Amino acid sequence: MKPTVDETLLTRWIDGDLSEAEAAALLETHPEILAEKETAATLGNLLRQANASTPDIPYADFFNHQIKRRIANDEDVFSRETSVAAAAAADEPMVFPLFQRLRWLSAIGFVVTLGLLVGLGLRSDENSHTEVVSTYSPAEGATVTSAYDSVAGATVIRLDGVPPIPADVVIGDVPAGRLSQLHRVIYSTQSGSLGCPMSILAGEKAGDPLPEALLVQF
Amino acid sequence: MAPLPSSRRIIWAGIAAAIAACLMGGTFLAQEAPKTAGATEQPCDGDVWCGLFVARAEAPSGAPADPAHAALQEKLAKAFPSHRHFQLVGEKTGSVYKEYECWIVPTKQLFLKLDSLGPDASKDGVHLHLQLWQEEHVILKSDAILRREPVFISGPAWGDGRLIMVLKLANDPQA
């Protein structure tokens, strides 16, 4: 509605836009507006004081409504993206249809296969060593023990209590000790040209009256 | 490159494991194949190598080195840590046949008599009845399944050492 001339003048007067002559003329015509101006000024002061301490959100209802609507929109977008991802997974081409349908069974199969491989490896190592089923010694006073030595990688049978073989018995082609310990010394001399002692030994068992052979030891 | 879905990763892992299993299975079969072929070509249950060692705490002066049996001597040193020197004084290779006695004589003083009871059920060894003879006397009797790893028989003492008989399958006597 278009304001009247009086209202326009009244607003300009309250705002201080009228000249002194115009303000005097208006007051002469409408003297009651002085009280109205004081009331408006008082009311404005009170409103400014209240707003300075606790500023309220303008149009609070509208603000809250906008917030709720944006939250609702965000939730819709999130649920839409999730459903799109699920639909994409469902549309994924089935490279191995059986395996993809039996996902957990495939995983279990993998674990079982791995276990079999480990078991086969262990079995292979275990079956490489010689196994002693039983042992016995007919020799009087002899004892037999057997065990697998994993450090050496061999099965060891220990035969204890068997009488030792005399040192003068030649095993293979190797004498057990020095010849002078095995045979009787007939003659011994220090050879200056050789730089070591030289001995002539009787190649027979000790106690025989005549030697079967003569040995020379340097 | 986009990461694979978890289901595909599981599938590829399963395929890789299956391929590995096939390869290993093929290896095991390949290892078994020569034995099977050998069994059909000859009735021999296996070839064995027997060596007699003298074990001493210290090497005698002037003892020659034996690089041919270095691996076996290393095993002996681990099995008999109180001895440091192992000298081979006799060796012999022979074949064992089921229901036939087999004499393996590396030396006249100490030797073995073997009776084959046939291949082991797992086909990776020979079941033997073993006798250790010292000249005219049996000093040890044993039932054993001889496989890839050797058996060491610690026998009587001799001089300042001890006699150790080594018996193993003869695929690689030096090992």
Side-chain angles (χ1 to χ4, degrees), chain A residues 127-131 133-134 136-137 148 152 155 157-159 165 169-170 174, chain B residues 75 79 109 124 139 141-145 147-152 154 157-158:
Chain A
N127 278 355
S128 65
H129 67 257
T130 295
E131 178 185 350
V133 180
S134 65
Y136 163 71
S137 176
Y148 174 69
T155 301
I157 300 175
R158 295 178 190 274
L159 183 60
I165 297 175
V169 174
V170 177
V174 181
Chain B
K75 286 187 172 208
Q109 290 74 24
D124 56 1
I139 58 173
K141 292 182 178 180
S142 176
D143 270 350
I145 300 169
R147 295 198 179 98
R148 199 170 64 232
E149 293 183 351
V151 58
F152 299 156
S154 172
W158 176 57

PDB file of all heavy atoms in Angstrom, chain A residues 127-131 133-134 136-137 148 152 155 157-159 165 169-170 174, chain B residues 75 79 109 124 139 141-145 147-152 154 157-158:
ATOM      1  N   ASN A 127      61.067 -89.217   6.100  1.00  0.00           N
ATOM      2  CA  ASN A 127      61.282 -90.522   5.483  1.00  0.00           C
ATOM      3  C   ASN A 127      62.652 -90.676   4.871  1.00  0.00           C
ATOM      4  O   ASN A 127      62.921 -91.668   4.228  1.00  0.00           O
ATOM      5  CB  ASN A 127      60.214 -90.755   4.410  1.00  0.00           C
ATOM      6  CG  ASN A 127      58.932 -91.250   5.023  1.00  0.00           C
ATOM      7  OD1 ASN A 127      58.884 -91.496   6.217  1.00  0.00           O
ATOM      8  ND2 ASN A 127      57.904 -91.369   4.223  1.00  0.00           N
ATOM      9  N   SER A 128      63.507 -89.702   5.015  1.00  0.00           N
ATOM     10  CA  SER A 128      64.816 -89.807   4.386  1.00  0.00           C
ATOM     11  C   SER A 128      65.808 -90.543   5.275  1.00  0.00           C
ATOM     12  O   SER A 128      66.845 -90.984   4.790  1.00  0.00           O
ATOM     13  CB  SER A 128      65.352 -88.420   4.058  1.00  0.00           C
ATOM     14  OG  SER A 128      65.576 -87.700   5.246  1.00  0.00           O
ATOM     15  N   HIS A 129      65.540 -90.667   6.578  1.00  0.00           N
ATOM     16  CA  HIS A 129      66.548 -91.274   7.432  1.00  0.00           C
ATOM     17  C   HIS A 129      66.265 -92.765   7.665  1.00  0.00           C
ATOM     18  O   HIS A 129      65.123 -93.215   7.646  1.00  0.00           O
ATOM     19  CB  HIS A 129      66.679 -90.525   8.761  1.00  0.00           C
ATOM     20  CG  HIS A 129      65.491 -90.623   9.651  1.00  0.00           C
ATOM     21  ND1 HIS A 129      64.587 -89.612   9.797  1.00  0.00           N
ATOM     22  CD2 HIS A 129      65.076 -91.614  10.462  1.00  0.00           C
ATOM     23  CE1 HIS A 129      63.666 -89.974  10.651  1.00  0.00           C
ATOM     24  NE2 HIS A 129      63.928 -91.181  11.075  1.00  0.00           N
ATOM     25  N   THR A 130      67.351 -93.491   7.892  1.00  0.00           N
ATOM     26  CA  THR A 130      67.272 -94.938   8.116  1.00  0.00           C
ATOM     27  C   THR A 130      66.614 -95.226   9.462  1.00  0.00           C
ATOM     28  O   THR A 130      66.914 -94.572  10.462  1.00  0.00           O
ATOM     29  CB  THR A 130      68.691 -95.525   8.081  1.00  0.00           C
ATOM     30  OG1 THR A 130      69.215 -95.353   6.771  1.00  0.00           O
ATOM     31  CG2 THR A 130      68.682 -96.995   8.444  1.00  0.00           C
ATOM     32  N   GLU A 131      65.711 -96.187   9.451  1.00  0.00           N
ATOM     33  CA  GLU A 131      64.950 -96.512  10.656  1.00  0.00           C
ATOM     34  C   GLU A 131      65.408 -97.875  11.187  1.00  0.00           C
ATOM     35  O   GLU A 131      65.384 -98.866  10.457  1.00  0.00           O
ATOM     36  CB  GLU A 131      63.462 -96.534  10.313  1.00  0.00           C
ATOM     37  CG  GLU A 131      62.567 -96.901  11.477  1.00  0.00           C
ATOM     38  CD  GLU A 131      61.120 -97.014  11.043  1.00  0.00           C
ATOM     39  OE1 GLU A 131      60.814 -96.614   9.897  1.00  0.00           O
ATOM     40  OE2 GLU A 131      60.307 -97.511  11.829  1.00  0.00           O
ATOM     41  N   VAL A 133      64.620-100.893  13.327  1.00  0.00           N
ATOM     42  CA  VAL A 133      63.426-101.519  13.911  1.00  0.00           C
ATOM     43  C   VAL A 133      63.784-102.245  15.203  1.00  0.00           C
ATOM     44  O   VAL A 133      63.088-102.139  16.212  1.00  0.00           O
ATOM     45  CB  VAL A 133      62.789-102.490  12.892  1.00  0.00           C
ATOM     46  CG1 VAL A 133      61.552-103.146  13.481  1.00  0.00           C
ATOM     47  CG2 VAL A 133      62.453-101.763  11.599  1.00  0.00           C
ATOM     48  N   SER A 134      64.900-102.998  15.162  1.00  0.00           N
ATOM     49  CA  SER A 134      65.309-103.730  16.361  1.00  0.00           C
ATOM     50  C   SER A 134      66.805-103.959  16.309  1.00  0.00           C
ATOM     51  O   SER A 134      67.404-103.977  15.218  1.00  0.00           O
ATOM     52  CB  SER A 134      64.561-105.061  16.458  1.00  0.00           C
ATOM     53  OG  SER A 134      64.930-105.891  15.380  1.00  0.00           O
ATOM     54  N   TYR A 136      70.131-106.257  18.459  1.00  0.00           N
ATOM     55  CA  TYR A 136      70.466-107.287  19.434  1.00  0.00           C
ATOM     56  C   TYR A 136      71.929-107.659  19.251  1.00  0.00           C
ATOM     57  O   TYR A 136      72.429-107.729  18.112  1.00  0.00           O
ATOM     58  CB  TYR A 136      69.565-108.530  19.220  1.00  0.00           C
ATOM     59  CG  TYR A 136      70.065-109.774  19.883  1.00  0.00           C
ATOM     60  CD1 TYR A 136      70.037-109.911  21.280  1.00  0.00           C
ATOM     61  CD2 TYR A 136      70.568-110.841  19.134  1.00  0.00           C
ATOM     62  CE1 TYR A 136      70.503-111.066  21.880  1.00  0.00           C
ATOM     63  CE2 TYR A 136      71.019-111.996  19.734  1.00  0.00           C
ATOM     64  CZ  TYR A 136      70.992-112.105  21.110  1.00  0.00           C
ATOM     65  OH  TYR A 136      71.458-113.241  21.704  1.00  0.00           O
ATOM     66  N   SER A 137      72.635-107.895  20.345  1.00  0.00           N
ATOM     67  CA  SER A 137      74.028-108.327  20.250  1.00  0.00           C
ATOM     68  C   SER A 137      74.188-109.680  20.937  1.00  0.00           C
ATOM     69  O   SER A 137      73.944-109.801  22.144  1.00  0.00           O
ATOM     70  CB  SER A 137      74.960-107.304  20.903  1.00  0.00           C
ATOM     71  OG  SER A 137      76.281-107.801  20.883  1.00  0.00           O
ATOM     72  N   TYR A 148      68.474 -91.695  16.069  1.00  0.00           N
ATOM     73  CA  TYR A 148      68.698 -90.871  14.881  1.00  0.00           C
ATOM     74  C   TYR A 148      69.337 -89.553  15.320  1.00  0.00           C
ATOM     75  O   TYR A 148      68.826 -88.883  16.213  1.00  0.00           O
ATOM     76  CB  TYR A 148      67.384 -90.607  14.148  1.00  0.00           C
ATOM     77  CG  TYR A 148      67.550 -89.650  12.992  1.00  0.00           C
ATOM     78  CD1 TYR A 148      68.254 -90.029  11.858  1.00  0.00           C
ATOM     79  CD2 TYR A 148      67.022 -88.358  13.037  1.00  0.00           C
ATOM     80  CE1 TYR A 148      68.426 -89.156  10.796  1.00  0.00           C
ATOM     81  CE2 TYR A 148      67.187 -87.491  11.979  1.00  0.00           C
ATOM     82  CZ  TYR A 148      67.890 -87.892  10.862  1.00  0.00           C
ATOM     83  OH  TYR A 148      68.064 -87.030   9.823  1.00  0.00           O
ATOM     84  N   ALA A 152      73.802 -84.802  12.575  1.00  0.00           N
ATOM     85  CA  ALA A 152      74.658 -85.493  11.608  1.00  0.00           C
ATOM     86  C   ALA A 152      73.884 -85.947  10.375  1.00  0.00           C
ATOM     87  O   ALA A 152      74.476 -86.194   9.331  1.00  0.00           O
ATOM     88  CB  ALA A 152      75.310 -86.697  12.288  1.00  0.00           C
ATOM     89  N   THR A 155      71.547 -92.265  11.190  1.00  0.00           N
ATOM     90  CA  THR A 155      71.132 -93.109  12.302  1.00  0.00           C
ATOM     91  C   THR A 155      72.375 -93.791  12.878  1.00  0.00           C
ATOM     92  O   THR A 155      73.192 -94.316  12.118  1.00  0.00           O
ATOM     93  CB  THR A 155      70.122 -94.163  11.815  1.00  0.00           C
ATOM     94  OG1 THR A 155      69.005 -93.476  11.246  1.00  0.00           O
ATOM     95  CG2 THR A 155      69.634 -95.027  12.964  1.00  0.00           C
ATOM     96  N   ILE A 157      74.048 -96.542  15.490  1.00  0.00           N
ATOM     97  CA  ILE A 157      73.939 -97.722  16.347  1.00  0.00           C
ATOM     98  C   ILE A 157      75.240 -97.822  17.132  1.00  0.00           C
ATOM     99  O   ILE A 157      76.328 -97.869  16.528  1.00  0.00           O
ATOM    100  CB  ILE A 157      73.708 -99.001  15.526  1.00  0.00           C
ATOM    101  CG1 ILE A 157      72.407 -98.891  14.722  1.00  0.00           C
ATOM    102  CG2 ILE A 157      73.667-100.221  16.432  1.00  0.00           C
ATOM    103  CD1 ILE A 157      72.162-100.067  13.792  1.00  0.00           C
ATOM    104  N   ARG A 158      75.138 -97.810  18.446  1.00  0.00           N
ATOM    105  CA  ARG A 158      76.343 -97.888  19.293  1.00  0.00           C
ATOM    106  C   ARG A 158      76.396 -99.268  19.941  1.00  0.00           C
ATOM    107  O   ARG A 158      75.470 -99.655  20.652  1.00  0.00           O
ATOM    108  CB  ARG A 158      76.312 -96.802  20.366  1.00  0.00           C
ATOM    109  CG  ARG A 158      76.378 -95.403  19.785  1.00  0.00           C
ATOM    110  CD  ARG A 158      76.306 -94.339  20.862  1.00  0.00           C
ATOM    111  NE  ARG A 158      76.140 -93.022  20.270  1.00  0.00           N
ATOM    112  CZ  ARG A 158      77.132 -92.258  19.848  1.00  0.00           C
ATOM    113  NH1 ARG A 158      78.372 -92.689  19.960  1.00  0.00           N
ATOM    114  NH2 ARG A 158      76.894 -91.078  19.310  1.00  0.00           N
ATOM    115  N   LEU A 159      77.498 -99.934  19.676  1.00  0.00           N
ATOM    116  CA  LEU A 159      77.726-101.273  20.223  1.00  0.00           C
ATOM    117  C   LEU A 159      78.804-101.148  21.299  1.00  0.00           C
ATOM    118  O   LEU A 159      79.976-100.912  20.987  1.00  0.00           O
ATOM    119  CB  LEU A 159      78.173-102.203  19.084  1.00  0.00           C
ATOM    120  CG  LEU A 159      78.412-103.666  19.408  1.00  0.00           C
ATOM    121  CD1 LEU A 159      77.154-104.324  19.942  1.00  0.00           C
ATOM    122  CD2 LEU A 159      78.880-104.391  18.146  1.00  0.00           C
ATOM    123  N   ILE A 165      89.621-104.960  19.654  1.00  0.00           N
ATOM    124  CA  ILE A 165      90.490-105.721  18.750  1.00  0.00           C
ATOM    125  C   ILE A 165      91.927-105.359  19.105  1.00  0.00           C
ATOM    126  O   ILE A 165      92.261-104.176  19.257  1.00  0.00           O
ATOM    127  CB  ILE A 165      90.165-105.362  17.288  1.00  0.00           C
ATOM    128  CG1 ILE A 165      88.722-105.777  16.960  1.00  0.00           C
ATOM    129  CG2 ILE A 165      91.144-106.037  16.336  1.00  0.00           C
ATOM    130  CD1 ILE A 165      88.262-105.376  15.588  1.00  0.00           C
ATOM    131  N   VAL A 169      96.581-106.254  15.361  1.00  0.00           N
ATOM    132  CA  VAL A 169      95.801-106.752  14.224  1.00  0.00           C
ATOM    133  C   VAL A 169      95.695-105.641  13.186  1.00  0.00           C
ATOM    134  O   VAL A 169      95.334-104.510  13.513  1.00  0.00           O
ATOM    135  CB  VAL A 169      94.390-107.195  14.673  1.00  0.00           C
ATOM    136  CG1 VAL A 169      93.543-107.579  13.471  1.00  0.00           C
ATOM    137  CG2 VAL A 169      94.498-108.356  15.644  1.00  0.00           C
ATOM    138  N   VAL A 170      96.044-105.983  11.971  1.00  0.00           N
ATOM    139  CA  VAL A 170      95.977-104.991  10.898  1.00  0.00           C
ATOM    140  C   VAL A 170      94.574-105.036  10.283  1.00  0.00           C
ATOM    141  O   VAL A 170      94.114-106.076   9.820  1.00  0.00           O
ATOM    142  CB  VAL A 170      97.050-105.272   9.832  1.00  0.00           C
ATOM    143  CG1 VAL A 170      96.909-104.265   8.694  1.00  0.00           C
ATOM    144  CG2 VAL A 170      98.435-105.197  10.447  1.00  0.00           C
ATOM    145  N   VAL A 174      95.843-100.712   7.130  1.00  0.00           N
ATOM    146  CA  VAL A 174      96.298 -99.670   8.043  1.00  0.00           C
ATOM    147  C   VAL A 174      96.662-100.283   9.385  1.00  0.00           C
ATOM    148  O   VAL A 174      95.823-100.922  10.024  1.00  0.00           O
ATOM    149  CB  VAL A 174      95.196 -98.613   8.250  1.00  0.00           C
ATOM    150  CG1 VAL A 174      95.687 -97.521   9.185  1.00  0.00           C
ATOM    151  CG2 VAL A 174      94.798 -98.035   6.917  1.00  0.00           C
TER     152      VAL A 174
ATOM    153  N   LYS B  75      79.820 -85.788   8.465  1.00  0.00           N
ATOM    154  CA  LYS B  75      78.690 -86.364   9.208  1.00  0.00           C
ATOM    155  C   LYS B  75      79.194 -87.202  10.384  1.00  0.00           C
ATOM    156  O   LYS B  75      78.620 -87.153  11.481  1.00  0.00           O
ATOM    157  CB  LYS B  75      77.845 -87.242   8.280  1.00  0.00           C
ATOM    158  CG  LYS B  75      77.001 -86.464   7.296  1.00  0.00           C
ATOM    159  CD  LYS B  75      76.083 -87.387   6.529  1.00  0.00           C
ATOM    160  CE  LYS B  75      75.094 -86.590   5.689  1.00  0.00           C
ATOM    161  NZ  LYS B  75      73.860 -87.295   5.476  1.00  0.00           N
ATOM    162  N   ALA B  79      78.368 -86.910  14.405  1.00  0.00           N
ATOM    163  CA  ALA B  79      77.771 -88.013  15.170  1.00  0.00           C
ATOM    164  C   ALA B  79      78.688 -88.481  16.302  1.00  0.00           C
ATOM    165  O   ALA B  79      78.208 -88.960  17.331  1.00  0.00           O
ATOM    166  CB  ALA B  79      77.450 -89.178  14.236  1.00  0.00           C
ATOM    167  N   GLN B 109      88.372-108.447   8.860  1.00  0.00           N
ATOM    168  CA  GLN B 109      88.122-108.502  10.298  1.00  0.00           C
ATOM    169  C   GLN B 109      86.682-108.088  10.661  1.00  0.00           C
ATOM    170  O   GLN B 109      86.134-108.572  11.646  1.00  0.00           O
ATOM    171  CB  GLN B 109      89.089-107.589  11.044  1.00  0.00           C
ATOM    172  CG  GLN B 109      90.520-108.066  11.060  1.00  0.00           C
ATOM    173  CD  GLN B 109      91.188-107.864   9.708  1.00  0.00           C
ATOM    174  OE1 GLN B 109      90.789-107.016   8.929  1.00  0.00           O
ATOM    175  NE2 GLN B 109      92.214-108.674   9.439  1.00  0.00           N
ATOM    176  N   ASP B 124      60.596 -96.048  -0.460  1.00  0.00           N
ATOM    177  CA  ASP B 124      61.750 -95.158  -0.456  1.00  0.00           C
ATOM    178  C   ASP B 124      62.908 -95.755   0.341  1.00  0.00           C
ATOM    179  O   ASP B 124      63.816 -95.051   0.739  1.00  0.00           O
ATOM    180  CB  ASP B 124      61.371 -93.779   0.114  1.00  0.00           C
ATOM    181  CG  ASP B 124      60.768 -93.892   1.490  1.00  0.00           C
ATOM    182  OD1 ASP B 124      60.661 -95.021   1.986  1.00  0.00           O
ATOM    183  OD2 ASP B 124      60.409 -92.853   2.069  1.00  0.00           O
ATOM    184  N   ILE B 139      78.497-110.073  16.086  1.00  0.00           N
ATOM    185  CA  ILE B 139      78.491-109.206  17.272  1.00  0.00           C
ATOM    186  C   ILE B 139      77.280-108.268  17.292  1.00  0.00           C
ATOM    187  O   ILE B 139      77.030-107.594  18.284  1.00  0.00           O
ATOM    188  CB  ILE B 139      79.794-108.391  17.378  1.00  0.00           C
ATOM    189  CG1 ILE B 139      80.011-107.542  16.125  1.00  0.00           C
ATOM    190  CG2 ILE B 139      80.982-109.326  17.593  1.00  0.00           C
ATOM    191  CD1 ILE B 139      81.196-106.591  16.258  1.00  0.00           C
ATOM    192  N   LYS B 141      73.051-107.929  15.604  1.00  0.00           N
ATOM    193  CA  LYS B 141      71.953-108.259  14.687  1.00  0.00           C
ATOM    194  C   LYS B 141      70.949-107.110  14.749  1.00  0.00           C
ATOM    195  O   LYS B 141      70.665-106.576  15.826  1.00  0.00           O
ATOM    196  CB  LYS B 141      71.261-109.559  15.108  1.00  0.00           C
ATOM    197  CG  LYS B 141      72.122-110.798  14.937  1.00  0.00           C
ATOM    198  CD  LYS B 141      71.342-112.042  15.322  1.00  0.00           C
ATOM    199  CE  LYS B 141      72.177-113.296  15.108  1.00  0.00           C
ATOM    200  NZ  LYS B 141      71.430-114.519  15.487  1.00  0.00           N
ATOM    201  N   SER B 142      70.407-106.771  13.602  1.00  0.00           N
ATOM    202  CA  SER B 142      69.474-105.631  13.584  1.00  0.00           C
ATOM    203  C   SER B 142      68.528-105.745  12.399  1.00  0.00           C
ATOM    204  O   SER B 142      68.898-106.280  11.346  1.00  0.00           O
ATOM    205  CB  SER B 142      70.256-104.310  13.501  1.00  0.00           C
ATOM    206  OG  SER B 142      69.373-103.228  13.398  1.00  0.00           O
ATOM    207  N   ASP B 143      67.312-105.265  12.595  1.00  0.00           N
ATOM    208  CA  ASP B 143      66.354-105.058  11.500  1.00  0.00           C
ATOM    209  C   ASP B 143      66.299-103.567  11.241  1.00  0.00           C
ATOM    210  O   ASP B 143      66.055-102.780  12.177  1.00  0.00           O
ATOM    211  CB  ASP B 143      64.962-105.568  11.897  1.00  0.00           C
ATOM    212  CG  ASP B 143      64.791-107.023  11.505  1.00  0.00           C
ATOM    213  OD1 ASP B 143      65.668-107.536  10.786  1.00  0.00           O
ATOM    214  OD2 ASP B 143      63.798-107.632  11.920  1.00  0.00           O
ATOM    215  N   ALA B 144      66.504-103.166  10.018  1.00  0.00           N
ATOM    216  CA  ALA B 144      66.540-101.735   9.716  1.00  0.00           C
ATOM    217  C   ALA B 144      65.957-101.484   8.338  1.00  0.00           C
ATOM    218  O   ALA B 144      66.013-102.339   7.454  1.00  0.00           O
ATOM    219  CB  ALA B 144      67.967-101.212   9.779  1.00  0.00           C
ATOM    220  N   ILE B 145      65.367-100.309   8.194  1.00  0.00           N
ATOM    221  CA  ILE B 145      64.904 -99.856   6.879  1.00  0.00           C
ATOM    222  C   ILE B 145      65.917 -98.823   6.398  1.00  0.00           C
ATOM    223  O   ILE B 145      65.993 -97.717   6.936  1.00  0.00           O
ATOM    224  CB  ILE B 145      63.485 -99.255   6.964  1.00  0.00           C
ATOM    225  CG1 ILE B 145      62.519-100.315   7.485  1.00  0.00           C
ATOM    226  CG2 ILE B 145      63.047 -98.743   5.603  1.00  0.00           C
ATOM    227  CD1 ILE B 145      61.165 -99.769   7.861  1.00  0.00           C
ATOM    228  N   ARG B 147      67.391 -96.102   4.233  1.00  0.00           N
ATOM    229  CA  ARG B 147      66.883 -95.060   3.328  1.00  0.00           C
ATOM    230  C   ARG B 147      68.037 -94.181   2.863  1.00  0.00           C
ATOM    231  O   ARG B 147      69.192 -94.598   2.919  1.00  0.00           O
ATOM    232  CB  ARG B 147      65.799 -94.242   4.048  1.00  0.00           C
ATOM    233  CG  ARG B 147      64.559 -95.055   4.387  1.00  0.00           C
ATOM    234  CD  ARG B 147      63.377 -94.154   4.667  1.00  0.00           C
ATOM    235  NE  ARG B 147      62.185 -94.947   4.959  1.00  0.00           N
ATOM    236  CZ  ARG B 147      61.748 -95.223   6.180  1.00  0.00           C
ATOM    237  NH1 ARG B 147      62.387 -94.770   7.226  1.00  0.00           N
ATOM    238  NH2 ARG B 147      60.647 -95.941   6.367  1.00  0.00           N
ATOM    239  N   ARG B 148      67.697 -92.959   2.442  1.00  0.00           N
ATOM    240  CA  ARG B 148      68.697 -92.093   1.799  1.00  0.00           C
ATOM    241  C   ARG B 148      69.841 -91.733   2.737  1.00  0.00           C
ATOM    242  O   ARG B 148      70.981 -91.593   2.318  1.00  0.00           O
ATOM    243  CB  ARG B 148      68.000 -90.828   1.299  1.00  0.00           C
ATOM    244  CG  ARG B 148      68.795 -90.083   0.247  1.00  0.00           C
ATOM    245  CD  ARG B 148      67.977 -88.986  -0.389  1.00  0.00           C
ATOM    246  NE  ARG B 148      67.595 -87.954   0.537  1.00  0.00           N
ATOM    247  CZ  ARG B 148      66.362 -87.511   0.715  1.00  0.00           C
ATOM    248  NH1 ARG B 148      65.403 -88.027   0.017  1.00  0.00           N
ATOM    249  NH2 ARG B 148      66.098 -86.543   1.568  1.00  0.00           N
ATOM    250  N   GLU B 149      69.540 -91.547   4.012  1.00  0.00           N
ATOM    251  CA  GLU B 149      70.590 -91.172   4.953  1.00  0.00           C
ATOM    252  C   GLU B 149      71.273 -92.429   5.514  1.00  0.00           C
ATOM    253  O   GLU B 149      70.625 -93.459   5.687  1.00  0.00           O
ATOM    254  CB  GLU B 149      70.006 -90.312   6.074  1.00  0.00           C
ATOM    255  CG  GLU B 149      69.543 -88.958   5.546  1.00  0.00           C
ATOM    256  CD  GLU B 149      69.020 -88.054   6.643  1.00  0.00           C
ATOM    257  OE1 GLU B 149      68.853 -88.536   7.776  1.00  0.00           O
ATOM    258  OE2 GLU B 149      68.770 -86.879   6.348  1.00  0.00           O
ATOM    259  N   PRO B 150      72.566 -92.354   5.832  1.00  0.00           N
ATOM    260  CA  PRO B 150      73.315 -93.559   6.200  1.00  0.00           C
ATOM    261  C   PRO B 150      73.033 -94.007   7.633  1.00  0.00           C
ATOM    262  O   PRO B 150      72.399 -93.297   8.429  1.00  0.00           O
ATOM    263  CB  PRO B 150      74.763 -93.103   6.067  1.00  0.00           C
ATOM    264  CG  PRO B 150      74.727 -91.646   6.345  1.00  0.00           C
ATOM    265  CD  PRO B 150      73.410 -91.146   5.815  1.00  0.00           C
ATOM    266  N   VAL B 151      73.529 -95.213   7.922  1.00  0.00           N
ATOM    267  CA  VAL B 151      73.522 -95.706   9.297  1.00  0.00           C
ATOM    268  C   VAL B 151      74.985 -95.915   9.694  1.00  0.00           C
ATOM    269  O   VAL B 151      75.791 -96.454   8.922  1.00  0.00           O
ATOM    270  CB  VAL B 151      72.676 -96.997   9.425  1.00  0.00           C
ATOM    271  CG1 VAL B 151      73.174 -98.091   8.506  1.00  0.00           C
ATOM    272  CG2 VAL B 151      72.655 -97.480  10.865  1.00  0.00           C
ATOM    273  N   PHE B 152      75.326 -95.406  10.884  1.00  0.00           N
ATOM    274  CA  PHE B 152      76.680 -95.577  11.417  1.00  0.00           C
ATOM    275  C   PHE B 152      76.624 -96.617  12.535  1.00  0.00           C
ATOM    276  O   PHE B 152      75.808 -96.484  13.461  1.00  0.00           O
ATOM    277  CB  PHE B 152      77.209 -94.259  12.007  1.00  0.00           C
ATOM    278  CG  PHE B 152      77.301 -93.123  11.010  1.00  0.00           C
ATOM    279  CD1 PHE B 152      77.272 -91.798  11.431  1.00  0.00           C
ATOM    280  CD2 PHE B 152      77.440 -93.377   9.651  1.00  0.00           C
ATOM    281  CE1 PHE B 152      77.361 -90.765  10.522  1.00  0.00           C
ATOM    282  CE2 PHE B 152      77.531 -92.341   8.736  1.00  0.00           C
ATOM    283  CZ  PHE B 152      77.489 -91.028   9.171  1.00  0.00           C
ATOM    284  N   SER B 154      78.818 -98.019  15.444  1.00  0.00           N
ATOM    285  CA  SER B 154      80.030 -97.846  16.237  1.00  0.00           C
ATOM    286  C   SER B 154      80.410 -99.204  16.821  1.00  0.00           C
ATOM    287  O   SER B 154      79.731 -99.737  17.696  1.00  0.00           O
ATOM    288  CB  SER B 154      79.762 -96.816  17.357  1.00  0.00           C
ATOM    289  OG  SER B 154      80.851 -96.775  18.231  1.00  0.00           O
ATOM    290  N   ALA B 157      86.593-101.158  19.791  1.00  0.00           N
ATOM    291  CA  ALA B 157      87.773-100.299  19.793  1.00  0.00           C
ATOM    292  C   ALA B 157      88.921-101.057  19.138  1.00  0.00           C
ATOM    293  O   ALA B 157      88.975-102.305  19.143  1.00  0.00           O
ATOM    294  CB  ALA B 157      88.128 -99.910  21.220  1.00  0.00           C
ATOM    295  N   TRP B 158      89.843-100.287  18.576  1.00  0.00           N
ATOM    296  CA  TRP B 158      91.008-100.890  17.921  1.00  0.00           C
ATOM    297  C   TRP B 158      92.178 -99.918  18.079  1.00  0.00           C
ATOM    298  O   TRP B 158      92.117 -98.791  17.572  1.00  0.00           O
ATOM    299  CB  TRP B 158      90.716-101.145  16.454  1.00  0.00           C
ATOM    300  CG  TRP B 158      91.899-101.669  15.690  1.00  0.00           C
ATOM    301  CD1 TRP B 158      92.608-102.791  15.969  1.00  0.00           C
ATOM    302  CD2 TRP B 158      92.516-101.078  14.542  1.00  0.00           C
ATOM    303  NE1 TRP B 158      93.617-102.961  15.075  1.00  0.00           N
ATOM    304  CE2 TRP B 158      93.589-101.922  14.179  1.00  0.00           C
ATOM    305  CE3 TRP B 158      92.262 -99.946  13.788  1.00  0.00           C
ATOM    306  CZ2 TRP B 158      94.412-101.659  13.097  1.00  0.00           C
ATOM    307  CZ3 TRP B 158      93.071 -99.676  12.701  1.00  0.00           C
ATOM    308  CH2 TRP B 158      94.145-100.534  12.368  1.00  0.00           C
TER     309      TRP B 158
END
